[in-house]
Amino acid sequence: MAQIIAEVSRTFNEYLLLPNRTRTDCSPATVDLRTPLVRHPVGEAPAITLQSPFTSAIMQAVSTPELAIALARNGGLSFLHHNQPVQDQASAVRQVKNFKAGFVTSDTNVRPDDTFRLLAETMRRTGHSTAAVTDDGTATGRLLGLVTSRDFHPQRHDLDGPVSARMVPVAGLPHAGADVTLSEANARLWDERLDCLPVLDAEGRLQYLVFRSDYADNKRFPHQLVDPAKRLRVGAGVNTHDYRERVPALVEAGADVLCFDSSDGYSDWQAQALRWVKEHYPSVPVGGGNVVDGEAFAFLAEAGADFVKVGVGGGSICITRDQKGIGRGQASAVLDVAAARDAWCERTGEYVPVCSDGGLVHDYHVALALAMGADFVMMGRYFARFDQAAGAKLPTRDGFVKEYWGEGSNRARNWQRYGQGGQGLLFEEGVDGYVPYAGDLDEGLALTVAKLRTTMVSCGSTTLPEFQATARLTLVSDQSFQESHANVTVRDAPATVS
Protein backbone atom coordinates (compact mmCIF):
# COMPACT_ATOMS: atom_id res chain seq x y z
CA MET A 1 0.00 0.00 0.00
CA ALA A 2 1.02 3.61 -0.45
CA GLN A 3 3.04 5.38 2.22
CA ILE A 4 0.93 7.85 4.20
CA ILE A 5 2.59 11.09 5.32
CA ALA A 6 1.11 11.92 8.73
CA GLU A 7 1.46 15.69 8.53
CA VAL A 8 -1.47 17.65 7.14
CA SER A 9 -0.80 19.50 3.87
CA ARG A 10 -1.09 23.15 4.95
CA THR A 11 -1.31 26.48 3.14
CA PHE A 12 -0.15 29.96 4.10
CA ASN A 13 -3.74 30.88 4.98
CA GLU A 14 -3.53 28.50 7.95
CA TYR A 15 -0.80 30.46 9.74
CA LEU A 16 -0.31 33.80 11.43
CA LEU A 17 2.84 35.40 12.76
CA LEU A 18 3.04 36.25 16.46
CA PRO A 19 4.54 39.67 17.20
CA ASN A 20 7.92 39.74 18.92
CA ARG A 21 9.43 42.58 20.93
CA THR A 22 10.24 45.52 18.67
CA ARG A 23 13.57 47.06 19.64
CA THR A 24 14.31 50.77 19.39
CA ASP A 25 16.67 50.09 16.47
CA CYS A 26 13.94 48.27 14.59
CA SER A 27 12.02 50.42 12.10
CA PRO A 28 10.97 50.06 8.46
CA ALA A 29 13.89 52.29 7.46
CA THR A 30 16.43 49.95 9.07
CA VAL A 31 15.09 46.72 7.56
CA ASP A 32 17.57 45.10 5.17
CA LEU A 33 15.88 42.87 2.56
CA ARG A 34 19.03 41.50 0.94
CA THR A 35 19.04 37.74 0.47
CA PRO A 36 21.24 35.17 -1.31
CA LEU A 37 20.14 34.00 -4.73
CA VAL A 38 22.69 31.23 -5.28
CA ARG A 39 24.68 28.54 -3.46
CA HIS A 40 27.68 29.67 -1.44
CA PRO A 41 29.99 28.35 1.30
CA VAL A 42 28.88 29.30 4.78
CA GLY A 43 30.63 32.49 5.84
CA GLU A 44 31.28 33.65 2.28
CA ALA A 45 29.26 36.08 0.20
CA PRO A 46 27.18 34.57 -2.62
CA ALA A 47 28.02 35.39 -6.22
CA ILE A 48 24.61 37.07 -6.56
CA THR A 49 22.64 38.71 -3.74
CA LEU A 50 19.13 39.95 -4.37
CA GLN A 51 18.52 43.44 -3.03
CA SER A 52 14.87 42.50 -2.50
CA PRO A 53 13.49 38.93 -2.19
CA PHE A 54 11.29 38.94 -5.29
CA THR A 55 11.60 37.07 -8.58
CA SER A 56 9.07 36.82 -11.40
CA ALA A 57 7.76 33.52 -12.74
CA ILE A 58 9.13 31.78 -15.83
CA MET A 59 5.95 32.42 -17.80
CA GLN A 60 4.91 33.89 -21.15
CA ALA A 61 2.30 36.04 -19.44
CA VAL A 62 4.73 37.48 -16.90
CA SER A 63 8.45 37.89 -17.52
CA THR A 64 8.95 40.25 -20.45
CA PRO A 65 12.17 42.22 -20.92
CA GLU A 66 10.26 45.33 -19.79
CA LEU A 67 9.22 43.64 -16.55
CA ALA A 68 12.74 42.27 -16.06
CA ILE A 69 14.14 45.79 -16.31
CA ALA A 70 11.59 47.22 -13.89
CA LEU A 71 12.06 44.43 -11.35
CA ALA A 72 15.86 44.58 -11.47
CA ARG A 73 15.71 48.34 -10.92
CA ASN A 74 13.74 47.52 -7.75
CA GLY A 75 16.33 45.00 -6.54
CA GLY A 76 14.65 41.79 -7.72
CA LEU A 77 15.15 39.47 -10.68
CA SER A 78 13.10 38.13 -13.59
CA PHE A 79 13.54 34.79 -15.31
CA LEU A 80 12.70 35.22 -18.99
CA HIS A 81 10.59 32.31 -20.19
CA HIS A 82 11.86 29.53 -22.46
CA ASN A 83 8.59 28.78 -24.27
CA GLN A 84 9.95 30.52 -27.36
CA PRO A 85 12.71 29.97 -29.95
CA VAL A 86 16.24 30.06 -28.55
CA GLN A 87 17.19 33.15 -30.58
CA ASP A 88 14.15 35.06 -29.31
CA GLN A 89 14.92 34.30 -25.67
CA ALA A 90 18.57 35.24 -26.17
CA SER A 91 17.47 38.51 -27.79
CA ALA A 92 15.25 39.24 -24.78
CA VAL A 93 18.23 38.67 -22.47
CA ARG A 94 20.33 41.09 -24.53
CA GLN A 95 17.58 43.68 -24.36
CA VAL A 96 17.77 43.68 -20.57
CA LYS A 97 21.57 43.56 -20.41
CA ASN A 98 21.85 46.44 -22.89
CA PHE A 99 19.54 48.64 -20.86
CA LYS A 100 21.47 51.28 -18.95
CA ALA A 101 19.70 53.36 -16.36
CA GLY A 102 19.64 56.82 -17.84
CA PHE A 103 20.95 55.57 -21.20
CA VAL A 104 17.87 55.23 -23.41
CA THR A 105 17.74 53.20 -26.61
CA SER A 106 15.80 55.49 -28.92
CA ASP A 107 12.39 54.11 -29.93
CA THR A 108 11.37 57.18 -31.95
CA ASN A 109 13.46 57.10 -35.12
CA VAL A 110 13.02 58.41 -38.66
CA ARG A 111 15.01 58.83 -41.87
CA PRO A 112 15.86 62.34 -43.13
CA ASP A 113 13.53 61.99 -46.11
CA ASP A 114 10.59 60.73 -44.06
CA THR A 115 7.65 63.13 -43.89
CA PHE A 116 6.49 65.17 -40.95
CA ARG A 117 3.28 63.16 -41.19
CA LEU A 118 5.20 59.97 -40.43
CA LEU A 119 7.16 61.75 -37.70
CA ALA A 120 3.96 62.97 -36.01
CA GLU A 121 2.47 59.48 -36.17
CA THR A 122 5.66 57.93 -34.74
CA MET A 123 5.70 60.42 -31.86
CA ARG A 124 2.02 59.78 -31.18
CA ARG A 125 2.62 56.01 -31.11
CA THR A 126 5.63 56.13 -28.77
CA GLY A 127 4.48 59.08 -26.67
CA HIS A 128 7.93 60.69 -26.98
CA SER A 129 8.65 64.17 -28.26
CA THR A 130 12.30 63.68 -29.37
CA ALA A 131 13.13 61.69 -32.50
CA ALA A 132 16.52 60.57 -33.73
CA VAL A 133 17.13 61.07 -37.45
CA THR A 134 19.41 58.27 -38.66
CA ASP A 135 20.54 57.17 -42.11
CA ASP A 136 18.45 53.98 -41.95
CA GLY A 137 15.70 55.05 -39.54
CA THR A 138 16.81 52.63 -36.82
CA ALA A 139 17.94 53.14 -33.22
CA THR A 140 21.53 52.21 -34.13
CA GLY A 141 21.91 53.93 -37.49
CA ARG A 142 24.38 56.73 -38.22
CA LEU A 143 23.02 59.82 -36.48
CA LEU A 144 22.21 62.70 -38.83
CA GLY A 145 20.29 64.92 -36.43
CA LEU A 146 17.52 65.31 -33.87
CA VAL A 147 14.03 66.67 -34.28
CA THR A 148 11.64 67.47 -31.44
CA SER A 149 8.04 68.57 -31.10
CA ARG A 150 9.40 72.12 -30.73
CA ASP A 151 10.91 72.00 -34.22
CA PHE A 152 7.67 71.59 -36.14
CA HIS A 153 3.91 71.98 -35.74
CA PRO A 154 1.33 69.96 -37.69
CA GLN A 155 -0.75 73.09 -38.37
CA ARG A 156 2.22 75.30 -39.28
CA HIS A 157 4.40 73.06 -41.41
CA ASP A 158 3.64 71.00 -44.50
CA LEU A 159 3.08 67.44 -43.26
CA ASP A 160 4.37 66.10 -46.57
CA GLY A 161 7.67 67.93 -46.17
CA PRO A 162 10.89 66.07 -45.24
CA VAL A 163 12.10 65.80 -41.65
CA SER A 164 15.52 67.03 -42.78
CA ALA A 165 14.03 70.50 -43.32
CA ARG A 166 13.50 71.06 -39.59
CA MET A 167 15.96 68.75 -37.84
CA VAL A 168 19.01 70.01 -35.96
CA PRO A 169 21.98 68.49 -37.86
CA VAL A 170 24.44 66.35 -35.91
CA ALA A 171 27.20 68.88 -36.65
CA GLY A 172 25.38 71.33 -34.41
CA LEU A 173 24.55 68.84 -31.69
CA PRO A 174 26.67 68.31 -28.57
CA HIS A 175 27.24 64.57 -28.25
CA ALA A 176 29.34 62.09 -26.29
CA GLY A 177 31.40 59.00 -27.05
CA ALA A 178 30.36 55.46 -26.16
CA ASP A 179 32.70 55.41 -23.14
CA VAL A 180 30.88 58.24 -21.33
CA THR A 181 29.62 57.43 -17.83
CA LEU A 182 26.16 58.37 -16.61
CA SER A 183 27.56 60.88 -14.12
CA GLU A 184 29.62 62.52 -16.89
CA ALA A 185 26.60 62.64 -19.20
CA ASN A 186 24.40 64.16 -16.50
CA ALA A 187 27.05 66.76 -15.72
CA ARG A 188 27.13 67.83 -19.37
CA LEU A 189 23.34 68.04 -19.50
CA TRP A 190 23.34 70.55 -16.68
CA ASP A 191 26.60 72.40 -17.45
CA GLU A 192 25.72 72.89 -21.14
CA ARG A 193 21.97 73.42 -20.51
CA LEU A 194 21.01 70.50 -22.73
CA ASP A 195 17.74 68.58 -22.79
CA CYS A 196 19.22 65.57 -24.61
CA LEU A 197 22.74 64.23 -25.15
CA PRO A 198 23.23 61.63 -27.93
CA VAL A 199 25.85 58.93 -27.30
CA LEU A 200 27.66 57.80 -30.47
CA ASP A 201 30.21 55.13 -31.28
CA ALA A 202 33.43 55.81 -33.20
CA GLU A 203 31.61 55.51 -36.56
CA GLY A 204 28.94 58.01 -35.55
CA ARG A 205 26.26 55.39 -35.05
CA LEU A 206 23.69 56.14 -32.36
CA GLN A 207 24.02 54.10 -29.16
CA TYR A 208 21.82 55.91 -26.62
CA LEU A 209 20.13 59.15 -25.75
CA VAL A 210 20.54 60.66 -22.28
CA PHE A 211 17.76 63.02 -21.18
CA ARG A 212 17.78 65.68 -18.50
CA SER A 213 14.27 64.52 -17.53
CA ASP A 214 15.65 61.10 -16.54
CA TYR A 215 18.05 62.50 -13.95
CA ALA A 216 15.55 62.46 -11.09
CA ASP A 217 14.23 59.09 -12.27
CA ASN A 218 17.63 57.47 -11.76
CA LYS A 219 17.65 58.63 -8.14
CA ARG A 220 14.42 56.68 -7.52
CA PHE A 221 16.19 53.31 -7.69
CA PRO A 222 19.07 53.24 -5.19
CA HIS A 223 18.94 49.43 -4.81
CA GLN A 224 19.16 48.22 -8.39
CA LEU A 225 20.38 44.66 -8.99
CA VAL A 226 23.40 45.04 -11.24
CA ASP A 227 26.45 43.03 -12.30
CA PRO A 228 30.07 44.20 -11.89
CA ALA A 229 29.75 46.15 -15.15
CA LYS A 230 26.72 48.01 -13.70
CA ARG A 231 24.32 46.30 -16.10
CA LEU A 232 20.99 45.09 -14.78
CA ARG A 233 20.92 41.40 -13.90
CA VAL A 234 18.49 39.01 -15.57
CA GLY A 235 17.74 35.30 -15.35
CA ALA A 236 16.49 32.85 -17.95
CA GLY A 237 14.44 29.68 -17.75
CA VAL A 238 15.57 26.49 -19.50
CA ASN A 239 14.04 23.05 -19.98
CA THR A 240 15.41 19.52 -19.98
CA HIS A 241 14.80 19.00 -23.71
CA ASP A 242 16.89 21.51 -25.68
CA TYR A 243 19.23 22.79 -22.96
CA ARG A 244 22.35 21.79 -24.93
CA GLU A 245 21.39 24.38 -27.57
CA ARG A 246 19.60 26.90 -25.35
CA VAL A 247 22.09 27.29 -22.51
CA PRO A 248 25.10 28.31 -24.68
CA ALA A 249 23.01 30.95 -26.46
CA LEU A 250 21.69 32.38 -23.18
CA VAL A 251 25.14 32.48 -21.61
CA GLU A 252 26.55 34.20 -24.69
CA ALA A 253 23.71 36.73 -24.52
CA GLY A 254 24.69 37.59 -20.94
CA ALA A 255 22.18 35.77 -18.71
CA ASP A 256 23.35 36.06 -15.10
CA VAL A 257 21.59 32.95 -13.82
CA LEU A 258 19.60 30.06 -15.29
CA CYS A 259 16.80 27.96 -13.84
CA PHE A 260 15.47 24.60 -14.95
CA ASP A 261 11.73 25.00 -15.04
CA SER A 262 9.58 21.93 -14.56
CA SER A 263 6.27 21.16 -12.89
CA ASP A 264 8.11 18.23 -11.24
CA GLY A 265 11.84 18.68 -10.77
CA TYR A 266 12.43 15.44 -8.85
CA SER A 267 13.61 13.56 -11.93
CA ASP A 268 16.73 11.98 -13.36
CA TRP A 269 16.25 14.16 -16.45
CA GLN A 270 16.74 17.32 -14.42
CA ALA A 271 19.68 15.91 -12.48
CA GLN A 272 21.42 15.00 -15.74
CA ALA A 273 20.74 18.46 -17.16
CA LEU A 274 22.03 20.18 -14.02
CA ARG A 275 25.26 18.15 -14.13
CA TRP A 276 25.71 19.02 -17.82
CA VAL A 277 25.43 22.75 -17.14
CA LYS A 278 27.82 22.59 -14.17
CA GLU A 279 30.32 20.62 -16.29
CA HIS A 280 30.23 22.91 -19.32
CA TYR A 281 29.50 26.26 -17.63
CA PRO A 282 30.77 25.92 -14.04
CA SER A 283 30.70 29.68 -13.40
CA VAL A 284 27.04 30.11 -14.40
CA PRO A 285 24.59 29.67 -11.49
CA VAL A 286 21.64 27.40 -12.28
CA GLY A 287 18.59 26.62 -10.16
CA GLY A 288 16.38 23.55 -10.13
CA GLY A 289 12.84 22.57 -9.26
CA ASN A 290 10.06 22.35 -8.56
CA VAL A 291 9.93 20.11 -5.47
CA VAL A 292 7.76 19.77 -2.36
CA ASP A 293 9.85 17.83 0.16
CA GLY A 294 13.30 17.52 1.69
CA GLU A 295 14.22 14.35 -0.14
CA ALA A 296 13.73 16.02 -3.51
CA PHE A 297 15.68 19.09 -2.34
CA ALA A 298 18.69 16.96 -1.42
CA PHE A 299 18.47 15.18 -4.79
CA LEU A 300 18.73 18.45 -6.74
CA ALA A 301 21.33 19.99 -4.41
CA GLU A 302 23.47 16.89 -4.92
CA ALA A 303 23.09 17.29 -8.70
CA GLY A 304 24.48 20.82 -8.47
CA ALA A 305 21.43 23.13 -8.20
CA ASP A 306 22.48 26.57 -6.98
CA PHE A 307 18.98 27.19 -5.61
CA VAL A 308 15.84 25.08 -5.45
CA LYS A 309 12.28 26.15 -6.27
CA VAL A 310 9.49 24.83 -4.06
CA GLY A 311 5.89 24.39 -5.12
CA VAL A 312 3.73 21.98 -7.12
CA GLY A 313 0.13 22.84 -7.93
CA GLY A 314 -0.16 25.92 -5.73
CA GLY A 315 -0.14 28.60 -8.41
CA SER A 316 -3.31 30.61 -8.98
CA ILE A 317 -3.31 29.61 -12.65
CA CYS A 318 -2.35 25.94 -12.04
CA ILE A 319 -4.72 22.95 -12.06
CA THR A 320 -2.12 20.17 -11.71
CA ARG A 321 -3.65 19.02 -8.44
CA ASP A 322 -7.10 18.84 -10.02
CA GLN A 323 -5.85 16.96 -13.05
CA LYS A 324 -3.24 14.62 -11.53
CA GLY A 325 -3.77 14.66 -7.77
CA ILE A 326 -0.14 15.66 -7.22
CA GLY A 327 1.19 18.48 -5.04
CA ARG A 328 1.39 19.73 -1.49
CA GLY A 329 0.18 22.74 0.48
CA GLN A 330 2.78 25.44 -0.02
CA ALA A 331 3.38 26.15 3.67
CA SER A 332 4.08 22.48 4.41
CA ALA A 333 6.35 22.23 1.36
CA VAL A 334 8.41 25.31 2.29
CA LEU A 335 8.82 24.22 5.93
CA ASP A 336 9.95 20.74 4.88
CA VAL A 337 12.40 21.91 2.22
CA ALA A 338 13.82 24.68 4.43
CA ALA A 339 14.57 22.11 7.13
CA ALA A 340 16.33 19.95 4.55
CA ARG A 341 18.28 22.99 3.35
CA ASP A 342 19.51 23.64 6.89
CA ALA A 343 20.47 19.98 7.34
CA TRP A 344 22.32 20.04 4.02
CA CYS A 345 24.14 23.21 5.10
CA GLU A 346 25.15 21.63 8.42
CA ARG A 347 26.46 18.54 6.66
CA THR A 348 28.24 20.11 3.67
CA GLY A 349 29.09 23.64 4.73
CA GLU A 350 27.24 24.99 1.68
CA TYR A 351 24.07 27.05 1.77
CA VAL A 352 21.62 26.36 -1.08
CA PRO A 353 18.87 29.01 -1.14
CA VAL A 354 15.21 28.06 -1.34
CA CYS A 355 12.62 29.84 -3.52
CA SER A 356 8.92 29.66 -2.65
CA ASP A 357 7.04 29.47 -5.97
CA GLY A 358 3.23 29.56 -5.81
CA GLY A 359 0.53 29.80 -3.19
CA LEU A 360 1.14 33.51 -2.54
CA VAL A 361 -2.33 35.01 -2.70
CA HIS A 362 -1.96 37.97 -0.33
CA ASP A 363 0.96 40.28 0.37
CA TYR A 364 1.35 38.91 3.89
CA HIS A 365 1.89 35.44 2.44
CA VAL A 366 5.29 36.69 1.26
CA ALA A 367 6.25 37.40 4.88
CA LEU A 368 5.00 33.96 5.93
CA ALA A 369 7.00 32.22 3.20
CA LEU A 370 10.17 34.06 4.23
CA ALA A 371 9.56 33.38 7.92
CA MET A 372 9.13 29.68 7.14
CA GLY A 373 12.59 29.55 5.60
CA ALA A 374 12.32 30.66 1.97
CA ASP A 375 15.16 32.93 0.92
CA PHE A 376 13.09 34.57 -1.80
CA VAL A 377 9.77 34.14 -3.55
CA MET A 378 8.71 33.71 -7.18
CA MET A 379 5.35 35.07 -8.29
CA GLY A 380 3.31 34.92 -11.47
CA ARG A 381 -0.19 36.28 -10.84
CA TYR A 382 1.25 39.12 -8.76
CA PHE A 383 3.48 40.44 -11.58
CA ALA A 384 1.01 39.63 -14.39
CA ARG A 385 -1.18 42.50 -13.10
CA PHE A 386 1.32 45.22 -13.98
CA ASP A 387 1.82 47.32 -17.11
CA GLN A 388 5.17 45.68 -17.85
CA ALA A 389 3.73 42.14 -18.09
CA ALA A 390 2.81 40.58 -21.43
CA GLY A 391 -0.97 40.26 -21.12
CA ALA A 392 -3.26 42.74 -22.84
CA LYS A 393 -5.02 45.32 -20.67
CA LEU A 394 -8.77 45.00 -21.22
CA PRO A 395 -11.74 47.06 -20.00
CA THR A 396 -14.60 45.35 -18.13
CA ARG A 397 -17.72 46.60 -16.41
CA ASP A 398 -15.88 46.47 -13.06
CA GLY A 399 -12.62 48.01 -14.21
CA PHE A 400 -9.54 47.00 -16.18
CA VAL A 401 -8.04 43.51 -16.16
CA LYS A 402 -4.87 41.94 -17.57
CA GLU A 403 -4.73 38.66 -19.44
CA TYR A 404 -3.01 35.85 -17.54
CA TRP A 405 -2.51 32.28 -18.72
CA GLY A 406 -0.65 29.31 -17.30
CA GLU A 407 2.24 27.53 -18.99
CA GLY A 408 0.15 24.37 -18.82
CA SER A 409 -2.77 25.97 -20.69
CA ASN A 410 -3.61 25.36 -24.33
CA ARG A 411 -2.72 28.99 -25.02
CA ALA A 412 0.88 28.52 -23.88
CA ARG A 413 1.18 24.88 -24.94
CA ASN A 414 4.43 24.48 -23.00
CA TRP A 415 4.63 20.71 -23.40
CA GLN A 416 8.33 20.86 -22.50
CA ARG A 417 7.43 21.84 -18.93
CA TYR A 418 4.67 19.27 -18.52
CA GLY A 419 5.87 15.81 -19.52
CA GLN A 420 2.75 14.00 -20.73
CA GLY A 421 4.37 11.45 -23.01
CA GLY A 422 4.29 13.33 -26.32
CA GLN A 423 5.28 16.39 -28.31
CA GLY A 424 2.28 18.35 -27.13
CA LEU A 425 -0.23 18.83 -24.32
CA LEU A 426 -2.67 15.94 -24.01
CA PHE A 427 -4.56 17.76 -21.24
CA GLU A 428 -4.31 21.17 -19.60
CA GLU A 429 -2.53 21.76 -16.30
CA GLY A 430 -3.16 25.50 -16.37
CA VAL A 431 -5.97 27.83 -17.32
CA ASP A 432 -6.37 31.01 -19.36
CA GLY A 433 -7.97 33.94 -17.53
CA TYR A 434 -7.66 37.46 -16.18
CA VAL A 435 -6.29 39.25 -13.13
CA PRO A 436 -7.23 42.74 -11.86
CA TYR A 437 -5.05 45.41 -13.45
CA ALA A 438 -2.67 46.99 -10.92
CA GLY A 439 -0.85 49.72 -12.85
CA ASP A 440 2.92 50.22 -12.75
CA LEU A 441 5.24 47.68 -11.15
CA ASP A 442 7.24 50.33 -9.30
CA GLU A 443 4.23 51.52 -7.32
CA GLY A 444 2.70 48.09 -6.72
CA LEU A 445 5.92 46.47 -5.53
CA ALA A 446 6.69 49.45 -3.29
CA LEU A 447 3.42 48.83 -1.42
CA THR A 448 4.18 45.13 -0.96
CA VAL A 449 7.70 45.91 0.25
CA ALA A 450 6.31 48.46 2.73
CA LYS A 451 3.99 45.80 4.18
CA LEU A 452 6.86 43.30 4.42
CA ARG A 453 9.08 45.80 6.22
CA THR A 454 6.42 46.68 8.80
CA THR A 455 5.63 43.00 9.37
CA MET A 456 9.30 42.30 10.08
CA VAL A 457 9.41 45.24 12.48
CA SER A 458 6.42 43.86 14.39
CA CYS A 459 8.31 40.57 14.60
CA GLY A 460 11.41 42.35 15.97
CA SER A 461 13.60 41.71 12.92
CA THR A 462 15.71 43.94 10.69
CA THR A 463 17.21 41.25 8.41
CA LEU A 464 15.73 38.20 6.71
CA PRO A 465 18.08 35.73 8.52
CA GLU A 466 16.99 37.24 11.84
CA PHE A 467 13.35 37.04 10.75
CA GLN A 468 13.70 33.33 9.93
CA ALA A 469 15.55 32.59 13.17
CA THR A 470 13.14 34.34 15.52
CA ALA A 471 9.71 34.31 13.83
CA ARG A 472 6.92 32.53 15.70
CA LEU A 473 3.98 31.01 13.85
CA THR A 474 0.59 29.88 15.06
CA LEU A 475 -1.99 27.72 13.33
CA VAL A 476 -5.30 29.40 12.52
CA SER A 477 -8.71 27.83 13.13
CA ASP A 478 -11.62 28.56 10.81
CA GLN A 479 -13.15 30.90 13.40
CA SER A 480 -9.79 32.63 13.92
CA PHE A 481 -9.47 33.08 10.16
CA GLN A 482 -12.91 34.72 10.01
CA GLU A 483 -11.92 37.01 12.87
CA SER A 484 -9.01 38.28 10.75
CA HIS A 485 -11.32 40.19 8.42
CA ALA A 486 -13.36 43.34 8.81
CA ASN A 487 -16.80 42.56 10.25
CA VAL A 488 -18.65 45.77 9.44
CA THR A 489 -20.35 47.13 6.38
CA VAL A 490 -17.55 48.89 4.54
CA ARG A 491 -18.34 52.41 3.43
CA ASP A 492 -18.07 52.90 -0.34
CA ALA A 493 -18.31 56.70 -0.23
CA PRO A 494 -17.44 59.36 2.35
CA ALA A 495 -20.21 59.94 4.85
CA THR A 496 -21.96 63.30 4.66
CA VAL A 497 -22.02 65.52 7.69
CA SER A 498 -25.41 67.04 8.52
Side-chain angles (χ1 to χ4, degrees):
M1 63 172 288
Q3 178 186 3
I4 305 297
I5 305 299
E7 292 83 3
V8 174
S9 178
R10 298 192 181 278
T11 69
F12 293 131
N13 267 343
E14 296 178 79
Y15 289 91
L16 284 175
L17 286 157
L18 298 181
N20 288 335
R21 179 173 66 89
T22 302
R23 305 181 306 274
T24 56
D25 67 332
C26 195
S27 71
T30 62
V31 169
D32 183 351
L33 294 177
R34 288 178 298 176
T35 189
L37 176 69
V38 297
R39 178 194 296 242
H40 59 95
V42 175
E44 297 184 16
I48 303 177
T49 297
L50 294 174
Q51 299 298 308
S52 190
F54 297 92
T55 61
S56 65
I58 309 172
M59 299 176 66
Q60 286 181 338
V62 179
S63 292
T64 64
E66 292 78 14
L67 191 136
I69 289 168
L71 185 52
R73 296 188 82 183
N74 283 278
L77 184 82
S78 286
F79 286 89
L80 300 174
H81 74 89
H82 55 89
N83 194 8
Q84 59 183 317
V86 173
Q87 61 271 23
D88 291 351
Q89 189 183 16
S91 176
V93 168
R94 291 190 184 94
Q95 184 175 338
V96 180
K97 297 304 294 184
N98 289 336
F99 176 87
K100 298 171 72 174
F103 290 83
V104 177
T105 299
S106 177
D107 65 355
T108 308
N109 309 291
V110 291
R111 297 180 178 88
D113 55 354
D114 284 337
T115 65
F116 286 118
R117 191 183 310 278
L118 177 62
L119 173 63
E121 172 57 26
T122 302
M123 287 182 169
R124 185 201 63 78
R125 176 173 49 81
T126 64
H128 296 150
S129 59
T130 297
V133 184
T134 60
D135 61 344
D136 58 4
T138 70
T140 56
R142 186 166 56 85
L143 185 69
L144 303 179
L146 291 181
V147 60
T148 74
S149 59
R150 292 186 297 183
D151 295 318
F152 83 102
H153 194 283
Q155 276 77 49
R156 185 175 181 86
H157 298 101
D158 180 7
L159 289 179
D160 294 322
V163 167
S164 59
R166 298 293 300 173
M167 75 177 187
V168 178
V170 66
L173 285 173
H175 56 270
D179 59 348
V180 69
T181 66
L182 183 59
S183 61
E184 291 170 342
N186 282 327
R188 288 194 59 183
L189 286 171
W190 289 97
D191 293 346
E192 300 175 37
R193 301 181 183 182
L194 306 174
D195 291 322
C196 176
L197 181 69
V199 177
L200 311 180
D201 66 12
E203 285 74 43
R205 304 185 73 84
L206 180 62
Q207 302 297 297
Y208 305 104
L209 299 175
V210 184
F211 293 95
R212 180 199 293 254
S213 60
D214 285 341
Y215 178 79
D217 181 63
N218 293 327
K219 301 298 182 182
R220 292 173 51 203
F221 303 103
H223 303 298
Q224 298 186 73
L225 186 65
V226 296
D227 63 19
K230 303 301 182 184
R231 301 176 303 174
L232 296 178
R233 289 198 184 272
V234 64
V238 291
N239 60 67
T240 57
H241 296 270
D242 65 2
Y243 60 90
R244 290 178 178 86
E245 295 77 38
R246 192 171 292 270
V247 168
L250 295 173
V251 172
E252 191 277 331
D256 294 282
V257 57
L258 306 174
C259 183
F260 278 100
D261 181 44
S262 172
S263 63
D264 175 15
Y266 193 10
S267 73
D268 290 346
W269 303 113
Q270 188 161 136
Q272 291 171 10
L274 281 166
R275 293 189 181 102
W276 184 90
V277 174
K278 301 312 291 186
E279 176 185 353
H280 291 86
Y281 298 93
S283 63
V284 178
V286 55
N290 284 19
V291 303
V292 296
D293 61 22
E295 180 179 299
F297 167 87
F299 176 81
L300 293 182
E302 185 68 41
D306 289 298
F307 64 87
V308 175
K309 285 206 294 150
V310 180
V312 172
S316 62
I317 210 74
C318 183
I319 55 173
T320 293
R321 297 180 191 175
D322 290 338
Q323 295 283 49
K324 295 163 52 176
I326 290 176
R328 193 179 193 184
Q330 190 68 3
S332 294
V334 170
L335 287 165
D336 195 352
V337 173
R341 186 251 344 259
D342 293 343
W344 172 273
C345 183
E346 183 70 23
R347 179 167 63 87
T348 66
E350 288 193 317
Y351 189 88
V352 179
V354 167
C355 169
S356 177
D357 176 19
L360 301 162
V361 180
H362 305 292
D363 284 349
Y364 79 89
H365 287 170
V366 174
L368 286 169
L370 297 171
M372 290 176 181
D375 296 282
F376 56 97
V377 300
M378 177 175 283
M379 298 186 289
R381 178 198 61 83
Y382 177 89
F383 287 112
R385 305 171 305 149
F386 297 127
D387 288 320
Q388 293 88 344
K393 176 184 172 184
L394 303 172
T396 71
R397 183 176 58 186
D398 299 319
F400 285 97
V401 296
K402 289 272 286 184
E403 293 179 315
Y404 181 42
W405 61 97
E407 288 299 296
S409 68
N410 278 327
R411 178 170 180 175
R413 300 205 66 78
N414 191 350
W415 64 268
Q416 296 167 320
R417 189 180 198 273
Y418 297 88
Q420 297 177 1
Q423 295 290 304
L425 285 178
L426 303 178
F427 57 90
E428 288 188 294
E429 294 188 45
V431 298
D432 188 348
Y434 307 96
V435 289
Y437 169 65
D440 186 75
L441 180 145
D442 299 336
E443 297 175 1
L445 186 59
L447 177 60
T448 301
V449 168
K451 292 180 183 180
L452 175 59
R453 289 178 179 274
T454 56
T455 297
M456 290 175 61
V457 168
S458 292
C459 292
S461 304
T462 57
T463 67
L464 290 176
E466 182 184 23
F467 188 39
Q468 293 172 347
T470 62
R472 297 182 297 159
L473 295 162
T474 181
L475 280 168
V476 179
S477 69
D478 180 70
Q479 287 298 311
S480 178
F481 183 78
Q482 297 302 320
E483 187 182 56
S484 299
H485 309 296
N487 195 28
V488 297
T489 300
V490 178
R491 185 162 46 205
D492 291 328
T496 58
V497 179
S498 59

